[in-house]
Amino acid sequence: MDTLTSPISLALFWLDYAAVAVFAMTGALAAARKKHDIVTFGFFAAITGVGGGTMRDLLIGAPVFWVQRPGYVMACLAAAIGVWFFAKRGWRFRALLWLDAVGLAAYAVVGTGKAMGLGVHPFTAVIMGVLTSCFGGIIRDVLAGEPNLLLSREIYITAALLGAAVFAGLKLMGGDFWLAAIIGFLAAFALRACAIKYNLRLPGFAQGGGETEY
């Protein structure tokens, strides 16, 4: 964040750090699953941690949040080192899923809040929240050669959309920032958690009139 003169700006600043660190851990865990070296751990962590926020800032015309604040990349590298030393083989994949769910929910709120704070229309701000939540994970999966969650009908974007919309809606109704942020986070995380636990998926397109070849 560029200024920390208000409690909301300060809150978004620390939420942004927390979301970056969590997503960075998922990037490092993806590298761990592929048994990459420590340099690749750091690269995966950094690109996953700041990827979504970078795209958001470029689209809304804001200074890219980590360029003048190297602490974000340092947090990503610290997360990578932590995973390198402490990740256990048996829980890597489950940890990746659950940490990704936490990061998704947090970034849905952070991305929407930053966009609204810069005067972006609330509808567009919700889209920015979804983009912030999902883009880093997309890059991570592509680099790691993993099946992307967006292409497997996982309830993923839907969870981010729910959290961002709940947060924006509560703020538009004059709700307290922290209350709106907590409820938005919980809404996104709860939906994503249910999808993970119960293997929920959105219905696929059912073509009527039999299968047609093209």
Side-chain angles (χ1 to χ4, degrees):
M1 306 300 164
D2 300 314
T3 62
L4 302 177
T5 56
S6 72
I8 290 178
S9 295
L10 187 62
L12 282 172
F13 174 77
W14 289 112
L15 280 173
D16 213 13
Y17 259 103
V20 165
V22 170
F23 259 131
M25 291 178 68
T26 73
L29 283 167
R33 293 188 69 205
K34 297 294 184 178
K35 300 181 179 179
H36 286 299
D37 57 56
I38 186 64
V39 175
T40 308
F41 267 58
F43 178 73
F44 272 42
I47 202 72
T48 307
V50 304
T54 299
M55 180 60 70
R56 172 202 64 211
D57 289 347
L58 290 173
L59 288 175
I60 65 178
V64 177
F65 70 105
W66 58 270
V67 172
Q68 295 300 323
R69 296 185 185 276
Y72 284 105
V73 176
M74 292 178 185
C76 293
L77 298 180
I81 292 171
V83 171
W84 175 271
F85 284 108
F86 300 111
K88 303 297 182 184
R89 183 181 302 274
W91 54 263
R92 285 175 189 165
F93 181 63
R94 298 301 291 178
L96 175 60
L97 284 177
W98 287 103
L99 283 172
D100 187 76
V102 172
L104 177 89
Y107 248 166
V109 170
V110 170
T112 305
K114 179 171 184 178
M116 290 180 70
L118 292 174
V120 175
H121 189 279
F123 179 84
T124 308
V126 169
I127 302 302
M128 291 300 103
V130 173
L131 180 64
T132 308
S133 298
C134 300
F135 193 72
I138 293 172
I139 298 174
R140 176 197 65 217
D141 293 343
V142 169
L143 290 176
E146 296 282 357
N148 194 275
L149 293 173
L150 303 183
L151 301 180
S152 59
R153 295 191 287 116
E154 286 267 1
I155 296 178
Y156 192 77
I157 285 182
T158 308
L161 181 61
L162 175 64
V166 167
F167 170 76
L170 290 174
K171 285 298 298 172
L172 286 175
M173 292 188 291
D176 174 75
F177 170 83
W178 278 111
L179 180 62
I182 290 171
I183 293 175
F185 171 85
L186 291 176
F189 180 76
L191 181 56
R192 181 67 187 130
C194 287
I196 294 171
K197 184 173 179 59
Y198 300 109
N199 197 31
L200 301 179
R201 281 172 166 73
L202 294 172
F205 174 69
Q207 185 177 5
E211 185 173 346
T212 302
E213 294 185 0
Y214 292 93

